[in-house]
Amino acid sequence: MDTDDLLCLRDVIASGSLTAVARKRGVAVSTIARRLDAIEATLKLTLAGSAPAPSVVNFKTPCAD
């Protein structure tokens, strides 16, 4: 997983759309989906599903130690 994968995740959360992020970055939707798959595989969790996007995600707030 690299920094750009995390930026893709941030953009998907912000826009709520893989298509919007792909269009903004000039890549295929499948490219964005693969980046999210890579994050899921690394973290061994599922980021998306039938639930709405989390509203408490804030990438500007530093993580606690």
Side-chain angles (χ1 to χ4, degrees):
M1 172 173 53
D2 67 22
T3 305
D4 200 46
D5 292 345
L6 295 174
L7 292 174
C8 281
L9 173 60
R10 180 203 58 193
D11 292 346
V12 169
I13 292 169
S15 72
S17 167
L18 292 170
T19 303
V21 175
R23 190 177 304 123
K24 175 183 170 185
R25 291 173 167 262
V27 299
V29 173
S30 60
T31 299
I32 303 302
R34 281 192 303 273
R35 290 184 175 275
L36 298 181
D37 288 344
I39 293 170
E40 290 179 334
T42 300
L43 299 177
K44 296 179 177 48
L45 56 81
T46 301
L47 297 171
S50 57
S55 59
V56 295
V57 174
N58 183 347
F59 286 97
K60 294 180 182 176
T61 303
C63 296
D65 289 328

